[in-house]
Amino acid sequence: MRKMGFKEFLFILPILILLTVFSLWPILQTFSYSFFDYRLNDQQKSGLYLSDKYNVDLFMETSDYVKFYLNGEKDVVDEEGAKIIGETIALVDEQQALFEGKTGVIELTGDESDKVGSFNATLEENINILVNQYELVNESNYQYIIEELNTSLISSNFTGLKGYSDAIKDDRVHNALINTIIFTIASITIEFILGLGLAVIMNKSIRGRGAVRTISIIPWAIPTAVAALMWSYLYDGASGVIAQMFENIGLIASSEELLLSSTGAMISAIMADVWKTTPYMALLLLAGFQTIPGSVYESAKVDGSGPVYTFFKITLPLIKHSILVALLFRTLDAFRVFDLIYVLTGGGPGGSTETMSVYAYKLMFGQTNFGYGSVIVIIMFLCVALITTLFVKVLGTDLMDTN
Amino acid sequence: MKKLLSITLIVLLLASLFVGCTNDEPKTDEGTTQNETNKEETKDEPKEEVSTEKQVIKFAAQADSTPATQAVIDAFNSSQEEFVVEWVEFTNDSAQMHDQLITSLSSGSDEYDVLSMDVVWAGEFAGAGYIEPLDVKMSEAGINAADYNAGSMTAGNYKGKQYTLPFFSDLGLLYYRSDIVSAEEAAVLESGDYTYADLAAMAEKYVGEGGTDFGFVYQSKQYEGLTCNVTEFTKGYTDIEAGLETMKTFTEASWTPEDILNYTEGETHTQFTEGKAVFARNWPYQYGIIKGEESPLTPEQTGVAPLPNGGTVGGWLLGLNKNSDVAEGAWTFLQFVTGTEGQKIMATQGGYLPGYNVVLSDEEVKANNEMLQFDGFQKALTSTLSRPVSPEYSKTSDEVQVNTHKYLSGSSDLESTVAALENSLK
């Protein structure tokens, strides 16, 4: 091996750039989100704020409201009150002039920060005087408006590792993680056994081998969301064919149990996943079978090895790499399962089929809680890294060898 | 040859799959109404030529199975020369629509100018600063908040600012079979002076009569509709324990469907309009279906009453995107839809319940919307419950759904469910 010089390095540079842009960057971004209490539905938390900031837009909007409400009180106050109202409106105008021409969320200077503090205090005082002395038209609204003025002040929403410690304590995360693990282990085990069987059949020179291969790949060719919808009709308690069949042969007490009991829903999801991805597993393993030269089997025959012995001692070790790749791909796929569960059960009944991806989706898209959602995603990322490492350690000791 | 065979086989299989999928009715998964008064197809209006001066206003609203929404838009477009409204149709699955809107709005996009929102989103959208407060605009235009449906206005009021005006309102109702239920019991129902226990007794008594299979059908699937039902059973969360116990009793009762835990509005109206249920809890749109040609059940066989603890307020609100580049036109359109003319079109052509009170007493509207003439319906309008208003609403609702569904399907006990619900509602 020659030492790499600058010229050789230039050839590798593009791939390094691509790796950085497409895999490291998103992970780092998610990672940085997970250290903040970052939610879009709360204006004090809708950004990554490390230091105190001021929401000028919200202040402008709210202070316009103060003027609007106070102007509506002209008829219910006496001269004394009118004077206070006039003073307060002038105060608001002065404060608005201070932030003239600024928009969005800005950093406050020390001087501005003091002014904001004293303005909010004076305003609250004046309004309290008015509220206590007169029957105001907009009485109920003033407390909210004062609250909103304080909402304009944004304090840092950096939470560090708090999100992670919350997630470790969160029952829903435990539940989702356990569901994901159950789903992954069960579906991978069944798929592997069935897929291996299917691959052995497909590998045999029987008549119509092409047709068998073609037909068996169909489930894999159907988009997951469509397949999930199809299965949801089949499993449906009121009109599902499969549900009815299972009830008739006594597998389940009543046809509703398939989608409406927690175990039933999990088993249903696993079955749908097995149906869909067994062919994929089989194809990956078949590719492994095809690489074994026929001469190996001939010598085995000559040495008097039986079919079972041959399979376990010769075939399996020779397709070890294919098995590793197939299991690794499928495990990662199953661990990140989203569309199948989302369409089939939506995580129900009562959260019993909610996987990590579904929970992360609900947090991020349903509740726009990107901080905590990112924590869940990072936890998933760590799990996936762990799974990969285990697989490579156990199955592929020589796979990562540089030689 | 073999190759050709297998290719044809695949093509055939996939084609049959595709055809199978296109015939499905779209699922309606929603906690609010989806109106189906008359199943007339909205005729595609000939595309008006958009002259270059006309500003385009994008209106984000759910697909409408009635011609009303399109009619309102057409009426507005022909009423003035300055703007032209384009309707961006969203799915009837309101949870999906919510997520799509949030994705667009949170990126600061001006893709949509006027937004149609479920009543429970308004707090969230306002808290996030996505929509424009309207008080100043309303006072300039001389619009008085008291003229609108109070429940809808409260839902769109966040921290002392009014962010929305009602598109149409909605509330949970009890439908009963007037040809099965005795006259004196019907009178009790319409007065609203009865409890869920009374309803259970009646359902048990009448089930099986007149070819019915079920005493009472309502919504119990894990989705927004369950939150509405829990709100009603627990009397707006004032008595969670008793409400949940009642729900459990109903779930296990012989006179509710075995798969009630998978029931949405769709299943409910199917069972009731097919004449298979004595009582049903549903939104006003169900009456539109009963009036329609395809329903075996006739309006003469149907009565409407308030629910024992009152009905959940639902419906849709209209607001303005803060980032809109055609703010003036968007506000003009919003005024048109929520004003007399727009509300009248919605009520007469779609059977929607107007959110603008002035229209409620309009003769033409009354004539076209029989429901407004029912005593039971008028009574129901006076006893309404609202779901919790909060910027974190979707989280709260999600927790209510998961915990209640767990309890009803028997995988958790009453005590821990009550505790979990109380915790979510804090």
Side-chain angles (χ1 to χ4, degrees):
Chain A
M1 182 104 178
R2 270 185 55 208
K3 240 181 88 78
M4 196 165 70
F6 180 69
K7 223 190 281 176
E8 289 88 343
F9 177 72
L10 275 186
F11 278 96
I12 302 177
L13 193 63
I15 189 71
L16 288 180
I17 292 171
L18 280 180
L19 270 179
T20 316
V21 171
F22 288 105
S23 42
L24 286 177
W25 176 245
I27 289 172
L28 287 175
Q29 180 121 47
T30 312
F31 210 62
S32 62
Y33 285 176
S34 71
F35 295 126
F36 290 86
D37 182 12
Y38 177 34
R39 327 158 174 249
L40 296 181
N41 59 10
D42 181 340
Q43 294 195 73
Q44 284 182 293
K45 298 189 162 81
S46 58
L48 307 181
Y49 304 121
L50 276 167
S51 58
D52 294 353
K53 298 246 189 332
Y54 197 59
N55 188 340
V56 175
D57 291 348
L58 186 61
F59 162 74
M60 289 291 182
E61 182 184 288
T62 311
S63 49
D64 279 343
Y65 260 87
V66 174
K67 290 195 285 191
F68 170 71
Y69 283 145
L70 288 175
N71 281 326
E73 311 291 1
K74 293 260 156 86
D75 307 334
V76 291
V77 293
D78 54 17
E79 213 168 305
E80 178 76 12
K83 197 172 139 235
I84 298 178
I85 288 179
E87 277 171 16
T88 316
I89 289 177
L91 190 75
V92 172
D93 284 333
E94 191 187 323
Q95 189 74 1
Q96 285 186 329
L98 184 70
F99 294 107
E100 195 63 53
K102 290 180 177 165
T103 53
V105 174
I106 59 162
E107 192 99 35
L108 287 182
T109 60
D111 178 42
E112 282 171 335
S113 169
D114 293 344
K115 274 188 179 156
V116 168
S118 66
F119 167 78
N120 286 1
T122 321
L123 193 75
E124 194 167 346
E125 220 168 282
N126 287 358
I127 284 177
N128 281 338
I129 293 170
L130 290 169
V131 169
N132 292 333
Q133 279 193 343
Y134 307 100
E135 285 292 313
L136 299 181
V137 184
N138 301 304
E139 185 130 7
S140 57
N141 291 327
Y142 286 113
Q143 60 179 50
Y144 292 123
I145 291 297
I146 288 166
E147 259 175 52
E148 279 284 89
L149 279 172
N150 294 330
T151 309
S152 304
L153 278 165
I154 295 169
S155 46
S156 165
N157 61 348
F158 179 80
T159 52
L161 293 172
K162 187 177 171 300
Y164 292 92
S165 68
D166 285 351
I168 289 166
K169 284 187 289 226
D170 184 351
D171 282 344
R172 224 168 140 174
V173 174
H174 301 171
N175 178 31
L177 193 58
I178 289 166
N179 287 337
T180 312
I181 291 169
I182 291 173
F183 178 88
T184 308
I185 291 178
S187 71
I188 298 303
T189 314
I190 302 169
E191 266 160 40
F192 179 65
I193 293 164
L194 293 179
L196 201 60
L198 201 57
V200 170
I201 294 168
M202 288 204 251
N203 198 30
K204 287 278 172 285
S205 321
I206 45 172
R207 273 196 56 190
R209 185 167 69 162
V212 169
R213 282 187 198 178
T214 316
I215 292 169
S216 64
I217 201 73
I218 287 174
W220 177 246
I222 297 170
T224 314
V226 175
L229 200 58
M230 192 173 90
W231 281 98
S232 78
Y233 288 128
L234 292 172
Y235 288 144
D236 186 87
S239 58
V241 179
I242 297 224
Q244 198 55 49
M245 236 162 54
F246 281 6
E247 186 181 3
N248 292 346
I249 57 175
L251 272 178
I252 47 177
S254 72
S255 58
E256 292 81 35
E257 272 182 29
L258 263 187
L259 287 181
L260 294 184
S261 69
S262 44
T263 18
M266 185 50 102
I267 290 169
S268 303
I270 290 168
M271 276 202 308
D273 191 59
V274 166
W275 173 84
K276 188 170 157 41
T277 47
T278 300
Y280 176 68
M281 193 70 125
L283 273 193
L284 286 174
L285 295 175
L286 180 64
F289 281 132
Q290 308 264 315
T291 58
I292 305 173
S295 54
V296 175
Y297 290 113
E298 277 169 34
S299 17
K301 246 204 182 90
V302 170
D303 291 343
S305 143
V308 177
Y309 189 84
T310 310
F311 183 75
F312 282 102
K313 290 288 176 188
I314 295 170
T315 314
L316 278 188
L318 281 172
I319 62 162
K320 201 167 92 170
H321 286 178
S322 300
I323 292 178
L324 169 72
V325 169
L327 284 182
L328 185 60
F329 272 39
R330 279 299 310 139
T331 309
L332 297 189
D333 263 354
F335 197 83
R336 294 170 325 183
V337 67
F338 173 76
D339 39 6
L340 178 82
I341 303 269
Y342 186 74
V343 176
L344 190 64
T345 63
S352 58
T353 52
E354 191 173 67
T355 60
M356 294 289 274
S357 295
V358 175
Y359 187 35
Y361 172 86
K362 283 182 181 169
L363 282 170
M364 285 191 170
F365 290 87
Q367 304 166 17
T368 58
N369 188 345
F370 281 83
Y372 197 53
S374 298
V375 171
I376 308 294
V377 172
I378 292 292
I379 291 176
M380 281 180 70
F381 167 72
L382 294 176
C383 292
V384 164
L386 187 75
I387 292 170
T388 316
T389 321
L390 278 178
F391 266 108
V392 172
K393 276 267 184 301
V394 173
L395 272 165
T397 29
D398 51 351
L399 191 76
M400 293 290 174
D401 262 4
T402 39
N403 310 334
Chain B
M1 188 63 214
K2 248 198 312 201
K3 225 183 194 161
L4 197 70
L5 240 167
S6 46
I7 288 175
T8 358
L9 199 68
I10 289 184
V11 168
L12 275 176
L13 267 164
L14 288 180
S16 65
L17 244 178
F18 183 73
V19 170
C21 292
T22 47
N23 288 343
D24 292 332
E25 288 257 326
K27 260 174 132 174
T28 53
D29 256 19
E30 39 164 1
T32 43
T33 174
Q34 190 249 349
N35 221 298
E36 296 196 10
T37 307
N38 27 21
K39 285 228 165 180
E40 270 177 52
E41 293 264 308
T42 11
K43 291 190 185 63
D44 276 338
E45 293 288 316
K47 275 238 164 72
E48 283 179 54
E49 291 226 349
V50 184
S51 65
T52 42
E53 298 104 65
K54 281 196 182 181
Q55 282 187 322
V56 176
I57 300 160
K58 289 265 203 287
F59 177 40
Q62 280 195 306
D64 188 350
S65 52
T66 74
T69 308
Q70 191 59 51
V72 171
I73 293 170
D74 293 340
F76 176 76
N77 285 345
S78 51
S79 71
Q80 41 72 52
E81 291 298 305
E82 239 178 310
F83 313 106
V84 60
V85 171
E86 278 181 18
W87 179 12
V88 185
E89 265 188 80
F90 277 81
T91 150
N92 280 116
D93 179 336
S94 70
Q96 256 182 40
M97 175 170 175
H98 168 265
D99 295 356
Q100 275 174 12
L101 277 180
I102 285 274
T103 307
S104 161
L105 291 167
S106 60
S107 66
S109 145
D110 62 352
E111 204 174 346
Y112 315 115
D113 305 305
V114 179
L115 310 166
S116 170
M117 288 164 278
D118 193 327
V119 284
V120 295
W121 309 341
E124 179 186 3
F125 284 25
Y130 298 147
I131 47 181
E132 191 75 44
L134 306 174
D135 293 273
V136 179
K137 286 191 165 82
M138 278 162 64
S139 85
E140 281 167 3
I143 296 173
N144 186 357
D147 295 342
Y148 293 89
N149 178 300
S152 303
M153 290 309 267
T154 312
N157 195 301
Y158 181 70
K159 296 231 170 143
K161 302 175 187 173
Q162 187 65 42
Y163 285 87
T164 60
L165 286 173
F167 188 15
F168 56 88
S169 23
D170 217 348
L171 86 156
L173 299 168
L174 180 84
Y175 288 80
Y176 67 91
R177 288 281 300 273
S178 52
D179 54 343
I180 295 179
V181 178
S182 70
E184 56 266 27
E185 274 174 333
V188 171
L189 289 173
E190 294 206 359
S191 71
D193 195 14
Y194 68 108
T195 62
Y196 274 105
D198 301 340
L199 178 63
M202 279 185 232
E204 196 160 11
K205 182 168 123 192
Y206 288 118
V207 69
E209 284 186 34
T212 52
D213 296 338
F214 309 118
F216 182 48
V217 286
Y218 55 104
Q219 296 82 46
S220 243
K221 190 185 165 138
Q222 187 184 326
Y223 80 120
E224 186 56 40
L226 178 59
T227 311
C228 300
N229 278 264
V230 173
T231 306
E232 287 155 6
F233 275 91
T234 60
K235 208 166 185 171
Y237 303 99
T238 50
D239 193 353
I240 297 179
E241 193 166 346
L244 285 177
E245 265 186 306
T246 312
M247 274 189 110
K248 180 88 172 175
T249 324
F250 276 40
T251 308
E252 289 167 348
S254 57
W255 37 264
T256 53
E258 281 191 345
D259 57 343
I260 188 75
L261 290 184
N262 224 0
Y263 262 55
T264 65
E265 283 87 359
E267 285 79 13
T268 308
H269 79 232
T270 306
Q271 296 295 5
F272 192 77
T273 56
E274 295 283 327
K276 295 283 177 223
V278 185
F279 297 102
R281 178 257 174 236
N282 212 335
W283 308 94
Y285 84 92
Q286 182 172 292
Y287 196 76
I289 300 180
I290 295 167
K291 276 201 313 190
E293 314 234 319
E294 287 168 36
S295 160
L297 198 74
T298 60
E300 291 74 49
Q301 297 170 284
T302 312
V304 176
L307 285 155
N309 299 333
T312 303
V313 176
W316 290 73
L317 308 168
L318 294 179
L320 304 177
N321 182 352
K322 230 180 208 172
N323 293 314
S324 168
D325 51 355
V326 286
E328 193 198 336
W331 171 236
T332 314
F333 176 62
L334 196 150
Q335 281 183 82
F336 179 87
V337 179
T338 55
T340 313
E341 204 175 336
Q343 289 291 292
K344 251 174 100 162
I345 297 173
M346 291 299 289
T348 53
Q349 300 205 24
Y352 291 99
L353 179 63
Y356 188 41
N357 296 339
V358 177
V359 177
L360 282 174
S361 50
D362 183 285
E363 286 310 318
E364 193 188 339
V365 172
K366 270 188 166 169
N368 271 295
N369 202 332
E370 295 110 356
M371 265 195 135
L372 295 172
Q373 302 159 20
F374 297 155
D375 296 341
F377 185 71
Q378 291 293 352
K379 183 81 198 166
L381 284 172
T382 60
S383 63
T384 55
L385 299 166
S386 76
R387 288 167 274 175
V389 175
S390 125
E392 294 250 297
Y393 179 79
S394 50
K395 185 174 178 210
T396 310
S397 174
D398 190 48
E399 282 169 358
V400 168
Q401 291 166 37
V402 168
N403 289 310
T404 312
H405 209 266
K406 244 188 194 157
Y407 166 64
L408 294 178
S409 59
S411 46
S412 75
D413 61 302
L414 180 62
E415 211 174 314
S416 60
T417 310
V418 173
L421 247 60
E422 275 167 355
N423 192 28
S424 313
L425 293 162
K426 258 179 210 157

